[in-house]
Amino acid sequence: MTVVRTAHTFELTGAELAAVRALLDDAFDGDFSDEDWDHTVGGVHAIVVDGDDVIAHGSLVQRRLLHDGRALRTGYVEAVAVRADRRRQGHGSAVMAALEHVLRHGGYELGALGASDEAVPLYRGRGWQLWRGPSAVLAPTGIERTPEEDGCVYVMPVAGVRLDLDAEIACDWRPGDVW
């Protein structure tokens, strides 16, 4: 029987964190770095377990996105993955539903994520909207464009925030992949 659980990073045991990391390493075919892991922890995790096995995961971490002269308190979705033999069974949707619940009730103004091509149907089907405008990062030297991320950023407005999806959006700086 599968169960969806949400928990802050501090509530997860070492064994649970190790199981999540192993799932992510496997799901991303070894292309999940230590910096990616750092981006994953420190927020709320949605974990789908079947018995003792972690079969799906996603996390929601707080970030600041700059848009239209405002710094928006953003719940940023990280590390969404489903074990290969359990895909297309609704586990990704269950993870996203749990994270979206936290997003809507956790004091955020905006939800955001960087989507892989394979994940776009999941996110679009759940109401996430493509950011059509240019993307950027607030780097230590100022705002720098991130054109390689254009067309990959998706958002979900909450708390009545108005967005111009064709305008520029910038994320806060962090090591590794900024989006």
Side-chain angles (χ1 to χ4, degrees):
M1 179 172 134
T2 60
V3 176
V4 181
R5 176 175 159 225
T6 57
H8 193 278
T9 301
F10 84 88
E11 296 175 296
L12 299 176
T13 66
E16 288 171 317
L17 288 169
V20 168
R21 177 66 193 254
L23 168 71
L24 296 171
D25 286 337
D26 187 55
F28 288 96
D29 296 322
D31 191 26
F32 192 81
S33 70
D34 289 341
E35 288 172 332
D36 295 329
W37 178 247
D38 287 344
H39 301 165
T40 302
V41 296
V44 175
H45 300 260
I47 301 172
V48 179
V49 294
D50 187 357
D52 293 331
D53 297 329
V54 174
I55 61 171
H57 171 271
S59 64
L60 190 71
V61 297
Q62 184 170 324
R63 297 190 70 189
R64 295 283 177 178
L65 297 189
L66 306 175
H67 171 62
D68 195 27
R70 290 190 60 205
L72 299 171
R73 192 175 45 261
T74 303
Y76 197 82
V77 176
E78 292 283 1
V80 175
V82 178
R83 199 171 77 186
D85 65 334
R86 301 300 294 267
R87 292 180 184 153
R88 306 277 182 232
Q89 297 175 23
H91 302 303
S93 291
V95 163
M96 289 305 296
L99 296 178
E100 290 161 2
H101 177 80
V102 174
L103 180 65
R104 283 192 285 286
H105 301 285
Y108 296 107
E109 298 172 283
L110 178 67
L113 56 85
S116 66
D117 292 339
E118 299 82 18
V120 166
L122 170 66
Y123 302 134
R124 289 188 74 110
R126 300 194 58 78
W128 289 78
Q129 301 170 29
L130 174 65
W131 193 272
R132 299 181 299 263
S135 62
V137 61
L138 179 57
T141 56
I143 300 246
E144 295 179 13
R145 284 272 293 116
T146 56
E148 67 281 0
E149 300 300 331
D150 292 352
C152 297
V153 176
Y154 282 76
V155 297
M156 181 176 281
V158 292
V161 171
R162 289 188 178 184
L163 301 172
D164 177 356
L165 298 176
D166 296 307
E168 183 177 75
I169 193 167
C171 61
D172 51 359
W173 178 260
R174 64 184 187 180
D177 295 329
V178 294
W179 282 101

